[in-house]
Amino acid sequence: KARIFSGVQPSGTPTIGNYIGAMRGFVQLQDEYDATYCVVNQHAITVPQEPKRLKEMTRELAALYLAIGIDPNKSTIFVQSDVPAHTQSAWLILCHTGLGELERMTQYKDKAQKQEAVNAGLLAYPALMVGDIILHDAAYVPVGDDQRQHIELTRNFVDRFNNRYGDVLVKPEGIYPKAGARVMSLQDPMSKMSKSDANERGFVSMLDTPNQITKKIKSAVTDSIGEINYDKEAQPAIANLIEIYANLSDKSTDDIVQAYAGKGYGPFKTDLAELVVSVLEPIQTRYEKLLSSSELDDILHDGAIKANEQANQVLARMNKAIGIGY
Ligand code: AQP
């Protein structure tokens, strides 16, 4: 089986954007691939985090991985900080990466703009992500559309490294969801939905209550056209809601447009809220049970052992190639 790797930052509770764009795919892919999924807690500190909350969110995200259906008997689940090779490899990668390459990353530019003071880790972030991927010999990386540039950077790095040192690293490819790979904010259809958005009305988190979900969807911005059409240019906010609907149901965007022809936005939003609640409720029930169980800690412990074994092998290959050691 080919190997895949992906991760999510515990920088907030995952949103339906993270779920649709990435996490749901983790579950589908675990049958076909040898999968490793990581809670990338060291990525999360590229922007300020409250220490106690960061620890809680790390465990919560691991519980959510299991609650959505990632099966520890099929996939390896671990926390990034349990595998020191990740940060160790990031140094090696940084020393083989141009400053200009990192400065060109649009995610860096977006996130830097939102910070009062930008730390060097925010710029270096993609190097740690490259490390995450290559240490697990991943052939494929299931991620949302916003990560394309980082995947390209990873591929370029691997080419450069292998050209210089021989065939040391596996070159990965991104796997992106087909439609709606980028879920947009409910308050601004021009910016992507983010779990760390200061405006909580911009996202539906996977742990929001039915009441919160309904309120957020009902107050999602629309437009003055008043008709349901799937037109990303003229009606981006409605197109985003239609994509969320299509992604969480078995209906196509065309089916949805037809079903709500002549009905206005009210009934559409009501049904969308119900749909989102019906998808998240069973996940939340499983999540609550897992969070308070020692099973979760056992799974993370076992995952760390497996992940360390794998990651240390690749780190050793890199060190040997570069000439680190004596
Ligand atoms: N809006 C989105 N639509 C589709 N996919 C998305 N992803 C993120 N936002 C959307 C995908 O979710 C995975 C995990 O993302 P991450 O935690 O590594 O960081 P991120 O991409 O920076 O996600 P957020 O939610 O915006 O986090 P914050 O607010 O902390 O920056 C990735 O595969 C990503 O593509």
Side-chain angles (χ1 to χ4, degrees), residues 6-12 15-23 26 40 47 49 107 111 125 142-147 180-184 192-197:
S6 197
V8 176
Q9 302 182 63
S11 47
T15 67
I16 52 170
N18 299 126
Y19 182 63
I20 292 169
M23 291 168 71
F26 295 179
V40 287
V47 298
Q49 302 290 346
Q107 191 187 70
K111 289 196 174 181
Y125 172 113
V143 280
D145 182 64
D146 60 316
Q147 292 293 338
R182 191 183 290 241
V183 178
M184 308 310 279
K192 87 169 178 122
M193 183 179 283
S194 272
K195 55 178 127 60
S196 64
D197 190 346

Side-chain angles (χ1 to χ4, degrees), residues 100-318:
E101 262 189 294
L102 296 173
E103 284 168 340
R104 269 200 301 279
M105 293 295 116
T106 54
Q107 191 187 70
Y108 165 69
K109 289 191 258 184
D110 288 349
K111 289 196 174 181
Q113 234 176 21
K114 292 182 192 150
Q115 298 300 317
E116 272 173 32
V118 176
N119 68 52
L122 191 65
L123 180 68
Y125 172 113
L128 182 55
M129 179 165 162
V130 170
D132 297 338
I133 296 169
I134 60 174
L135 289 182
H136 294 275
D137 282 332
Y140 299 100
V141 187
V143 280
D145 182 64
D146 60 316
Q147 292 293 338
R148 278 179 195 270
Q149 214 185 8
H150 291 160
I151 300 295
E152 273 321 296
L153 183 126
T154 307
R155 291 168 57 79
N156 291 337
F157 168 81
V158 170
D159 279 342
R160 207 162 47 237
F161 196 93
N162 285 348
N163 275 337
R164 179 153 173 202
Y165 299 111
D167 207 8
V168 181
L169 303 171
V170 174
K171 185 173 175 182
E173 238 175 84
I175 299 183
Y176 308 96
K178 281 173 208 85
R182 191 183 290 241
V183 178
M184 308 310 279
S185 161
L186 299 180
Q187 292 298 317
D188 172 12
M190 295 301 140
S191 51
K192 87 169 178 122
M193 183 179 283
S194 272
K195 55 178 127 60
S196 64
D197 190 346
N199 181 0
E200 290 199 0
R201 292 192 309 150
F203 59 80
V204 171
S205 108
M206 291 181 67
L207 298 178
D208 277 347
T209 62
N211 206 1
Q212 286 171 315
I213 294 170
T214 308
K215 271 197 188 146
K216 286 180 179 182
I217 290 180
K218 290 213 163 157
S219 65
V221 297
T222 51
D223 52 53
S224 55
I225 295 174
E227 250 174 52
I228 305 274
N229 300 299
Y230 182 60
D231 183 340
K232 282 186 154 194
E233 295 285 309
Q235 295 180 261
I238 289 295
N240 184 42
L241 297 181
I242 293 175
E243 280 182 0
I244 296 172
Y245 198 129
N247 267 293
L248 295 180
S249 67
D250 51 12
K251 296 193 170 71
S252 69
T253 53
D254 281 350
D255 293 340
I256 297 162
V257 171
Q258 268 178 18
Y260 293 95
K263 286 193 187 154
Y265 297 154
F268 169 65
K269 282 181 162 179
T270 306
D271 291 353
L272 177 60
E274 262 175 37
L275 172 67
V276 175
V277 169
S278 74
V279 171
L280 294 183
E281 258 185 340
I283 294 174
Q284 294 177 355
T285 308
R286 285 194 292 273
Y287 165 84
E288 291 302 334
K289 278 201 199 120
L290 283 157
L291 194 64
S292 54
S293 74
S294 60
E295 188 196 349
L296 176 61
D297 301 288
D298 295 343
I299 290 167
L300 292 179
H301 179 78
D302 290 351
I305 292 174
K306 276 208 250 165
N308 267 306
E309 237 170 60
Q310 161 65 33
N312 284 336
Q313 278 180 28
V314 180
L315 182 66
R317 287 196 327 243
M318 291 178 81

